[in-house]
Amino acid sequence: MESAALVAPVTALEFAGDVLLAGTGPEVAAFRLSGGGPAAAAGRRIVLREASVQGLRAEPGPGPLVRVVAFGGRWLAVLAVRGGGGRLAACGGARNVGARVWEARWAAGGRLALALGGGSVGLYEWRGGGRWLRRASCGGAGALRCAALAGTGWERLALAAGTAAGAVVVWRAAAAAAPRRRLLGHRGAVLALCYSAPRGLLASASEDRSVRLWAVGELGDGDGDGSCLLVCYGHGARVAAVGLRGPCPVSAGEDGACLGWDGGGGVRWARRGHRGALRALALKAAGGRLATGGDDGGVRLWQPGRAAPAVAAALGAPWRPRAVLLGGPRRVLALGEAGGLAAYEAAAGRWVPVLPAPAAGGSRGVLAAAPLPGGDEALCALGGGDGRLLLFALGHPGAAAELRPFEGAVRGLSWATRPGQSPNTAALLASGPDGEMLWLDVTHCPGQAPRVQLMGRYLLPPCKQRWHTCAVFLPQRGLLVCGDRRGSLLLFHCSSSPGQAVESTSITNGGTDLVDKDSGSELEPSCLSHKEALPLEAPVSVLFGLHGKTGVTSVACHKGYIYSTGRDGVYRQLCLQGQQLEVLRKHRPCKGLQWIEELRFTPDGDLLVLGFHADNFVVWSSRTGENLYCVPCGGGHRSWSYWSSPSAEAFAFIKCGDVMLYNREAEPCEQQVLLASLHGREIACVRRLGAVEVPGHATLNVFVTGSEDTTACVLALSEHSRAAVPLARLSDHISSVRALALASPTGPGDKGFGDEGLSALLFSAGGRAQIECYRLLCTGDPASESAVACQVIHVASHRLDEHWERKKNRHKLVKMDPETRYMSLSVVPGTSSEQLPTPWKFLAAACSDASVRVFGLLEAARKLVLVAESFHHQRCVLKVEAFLHVRAGGESPGRPTAHHHGPQLRCEQPPRP
């Protein structure tokens, strides 16, 4: 049976001219590297039908046609690769050589030198039917784990083999009675070897997490122990592959990291991005590129490493700073604890006073800025502990508008862009005591104080920390979404009609002149006496404590959806249902990211996540799964600011009572994802959702997979490209995902759906007795890379430990095992809920604690409840199936009658020992 598409770990990589080859399962995939643009897929071919490709070796030498040997297990096959287009052709079929092939090398005359299991080496003629020309057994080696070959003729052919005992033994094929050399030092099995003949260096990688570099000269010559030049430690797990770039080793480990080492044994650079262990590594001499592949089924092409990143420089602030803000890559604003404001101009290398301490609002100041068109000017807002608010253009701080909107301290300031507003106008939201929030429209007037209009007043819900932290205007419906310090999301009505112009004072050259639209007389700073003319709006929708007590850090609107972030390490996707906020799902971008500050959507479709990993500020790419930017700053609890543009990026923060600045010029992306990463560990379950027809594309099949890496993934598999593209990743589980079930999948033409695509309820379950339920909607999207768009809505979840804690009489019952695993799921078909006020879906689960449980889903209320459980079995229940039992009877001759006996469950358990 021919496979239409394949998802498997990448176990071999090789550069063949301008083509990169990747071995994934029994297939070889080709990628074109020529043309000056990004690499592109060139095709796939099944080469080994009874084994996985464990190695690929290209025949050296120029030419448009390159021969490559692929080997794995006891099988090998030879391919012809055309360099221009990367097309693959078979040179004969796969051949069984009778022993495991550890290594292959092209010898003189186009023959193959093979290192085989059992410590033997041979010269093999692969053309024709395949035959052995020479073969010798190398004794005294022990169990082999890897090998490296050198030499082209039989007399000069030498073999270096890594053993399970941690030794590297070297033979010459012509005299293979005993090893000529034994290299000792590793404390675990040697898993990979790489030999460089021009330099006489041998690199070895071991399961003891180390890489060693040996000076051996010509392989097979000399006796005794070789000289160990380097011992490199830096991997967090076993090292699976190693290569040599000049005199320095490059290694790939099961910790998902590819490390380059310097001449002293230290880590020179690190490349991370794969979701699982790395298994394959290939280096290209011309251009310095390298490729990595691993258990996640991904292949990545890395550009030459850049220079070491610059370190943060101390700027020598004129006073002890309270807050910092970047006005560009070379301009830093620092607010002192006494209230003074100063700017650091990197071009001049000095601090320039902006506002003196008395005029800057005193202590407990709050600072915010909004860039104006052109990039050289910005509107600044400075709130003080006495309730005063200063508004000024950064280029003309002397012309400032002074307001006093509150009797108490200004708690929160944030700028927001309102759809349809003038380019010189920005919306400012200010929070004061008692939960009052004001919307002010601030218009920049060159050479004059900004003009201010009060647009709205809003009331935040009661809580201990009652001020807003961020806000966004929705592009339609006249709505405003705010996040507060309590972690709640609030939805307000907002009108674009201006309120009464606000009285304010202007400070120019130390004087106080009135800036009043109506009168023009000189007054003291106003308390906005006219603001009571506007009603105090209450929120129309509140999601209280959505991000926990640490607060909401940002809200954004993108493609009709609302995104919120918080210090709980997740970001949430929401939508509007009428006048109510509804959470669709939550995302946890990567492990260890405890604090998410902001989301940025790039024009090329990538999602950048800004946050803190331990005490480092990171910019994490959702597309490549790596940190694009990492600055050790001590954590996000102190003031900091990040600024980026296509040409440069900068990060400023406070540390040790000073302002630190870290900046660098923008650089091209270091990596290209050739095959997308799927799962970092084994795939435990698969379900097919259906097929999506997209104009101009081949039929795309949509699958859902669950893995031991605690995630479920929605994939689009194309029969044309034979590759899988992830559409959505579900990361709500805290343990492995072992079972999946789909309820009522519908497609075009099905009743109640239409022609939009595929829709279904997805149930996922696994370890820690956890079940998650999602609503999936897959539609065609010709503009996207995958040609399919997948919308995921989190419907409900259930955990037995939480269910147990809610029981009132739990002290009378036997406590459930928190390590219970769900082994299998089955949606109960044909259940009628016509007599119930709302429709239900029922789900049967086989459990490791010898029980079968039935759950009921009420989708409208987003509840998944335990309906019944049975402990009939005495051991782990492996499988449960729900089916309808229909029996044909003969009540009248010639007219069979169907008797419906309702849904039934069939269970399986392991046999008794």
Side-chain angles (χ1 to χ4, degrees), residues 116-279:
L116 305 174
S120 62
V121 62
L123 198 60
Y124 187 76
E125 176 57 72
W126 57 274
R127 287 162 290 207
R131 59 191 177 91
W132 290 102
L133 302 178
R134 303 287 294 271
R135 191 168 180 176
S137 179
C138 307
L144 301 187
R145 291 292 181 268
C146 60
L149 291 166
T152 55
W154 181 257
E155 296 299 326
R156 305 300 301 174
L157 185 63
L159 167 68
T163 69
V168 180
V169 290
V170 182
W171 296 278
R172 187 173 289 281
R180 297 285 301 272
R181 182 176 291 177
R182 190 180 297 269
L183 309 178
L184 304 176
H186 285 291
R187 297 183 179 180
V190 179
L191 303 179
L193 293 171
C194 180
Y195 175 66
S196 173
R199 297 179 180 270
L201 299 176
L202 178 69
S204 60
S206 169
E207 67 178 10
D208 65 0
R209 302 182 297 173
S210 72
V211 175
R212 291 177 180 257
L213 186 65
W214 310 84
V216 296
E218 184 177 355
L219 198 64
D221 287 348
D223 299 317
D225 297 335
S227 173
C228 183
L229 302 179
L230 287 178
V231 180
C232 308
Y233 281 97
H235 283 283
R238 301 192 306 176
V239 187
V242 68
L244 282 170
R245 173 157 286 168
C248 299
V250 178
S251 59
E254 293 184 1
D255 56 352
C258 178
L259 304 181
W261 306 90
D262 57 26
V267 177
R268 184 179 180 183
W269 50 259
R271 303 288 182 265
R272 292 181 174 87
H274 287 269
R275 300 184 65 88
L278 295 185
R279 299 295 178 190

Side-chain angles (χ1 to χ4, degrees), residues 472 474 476-477 479-484 487-492 539-544 546-547 552 555-557 560-564 572-585 862:
V472 64
L474 299 187
Q476 72 282 349
R477 306 182 187 179
L479 296 173
L480 171 68
V481 178
C482 293
D484 68 5
S488 305
L489 278 185
L490 316 169
L491 179 66
F492 294 95
V540 296
S541 178
V542 178
L543 296 178
F544 187 78
L546 183 66
H547 284 276
V552 181
V555 287
C557 187
Y561 295 102
I562 302 167
Y563 295 84
S564 66
R572 288 172 169 82
Q573 183 183 21
L574 304 96
C575 69
L576 280 179
Q577 292 291 343
Q579 296 292 324
Q580 299 296 313
L581 291 171
E582 181 179 355
V583 179
L584 299 181
R585 57 180 296 207
R862 294 197 168 191

Side-chain angles (χ1 to χ4, degrees), residues 780-817:
D781 184 9
S784 66
E785 180 182 357
S786 61
V788 178
C790 180
Q791 176 61 50
V792 180
I793 302 175
H794 185 264
V795 177
S797 63
H798 187 278
R799 286 180 57 183
L800 283 182
D801 55 352
E802 296 176 353
H803 173 75
W804 169 267
E805 293 298 331
R806 287 193 294 265
K807 285 188 175 182
K808 295 182 180 180
N809 59 341
R810 59 181 180 269
H811 61 282
K812 299 180 181 180
L813 305 174
V814 178
K815 185 176 182 180
M816 53 80 58
D817 183 5

